[in-house]
Amino acid sequence: MQRLFSTFPDGWPGTGLVFLRTVAAILPVQQGIAGLLTAPLEALVIVQLVTAGAAALLLVGLWTPVAGVLMGVAELCLAFSHSTDPWMHILLATLGAALAMLGTGAWSMDARLFGRKRIQIPQR
């Protein structure tokens, strides 16, 4: 994962990525839960659940490149299905793709698991 990103930005850029991840994840998670509670398991609900799972991964910042691409593809599938508002799905697909390209930032699970490590060499 470290090879995909040169840095995990902190400060204002890292805070902006946290906000972006949160905004991109709220609506798909809400739609996935609502689809699970209100409808039988149809193909459209399964795509919504895949989108909600990818959005949950984006929310915590785990496997961000994979989750962003998965969310983008699933949201485009929802946009081209017989949806009432395709523009919302296109917006969420764009946010997922942007997060896949930008990375997670310093406040994420990816940064904790795959970020740069500091090695302390003991004095002799």
Side-chain angles (χ1 to χ4, degrees), residues 43-104:
L44 193 61
V45 175
I46 292 172
V47 175
Q48 284 179 337
L49 290 176
V50 168
T51 305
L57 288 175
L58 282 177
L59 184 62
V60 296
L62 184 61
W63 301 333
T64 303
V66 175
V69 169
L70 183 63
M71 182 176 151
V73 169
E75 286 289 344
L76 284 178
C77 289
L78 289 172
F80 291 122
S81 68
H82 301 288
S83 178
T84 57
D85 186 19
W87 292 110
M88 181 57 70
H89 295 295
I90 291 172
L91 174 70
L92 291 171
T94 305
L95 283 173
L99 283 169
M101 290 183 247
L102 288 173
T104 60

Side-chain angles (χ1 to χ4, degrees), residues 2-3 5 10 16 21 23 34 42-43 47 49 51 60 63 66 69 86 91 99 105 115-116 119 122 124:
Q2 175 64 37
R3 293 179 192 173
F5 307 111
D10 57 352
R21 286 192 342 244
V23 167
E42 300 172 356
V47 175
L49 290 176
T51 305
V60 296
W63 301 333
V66 175
V69 169
L91 174 70
L99 283 169
R116 297 194 185 269
I119 299 173
R124 293 186 190 211

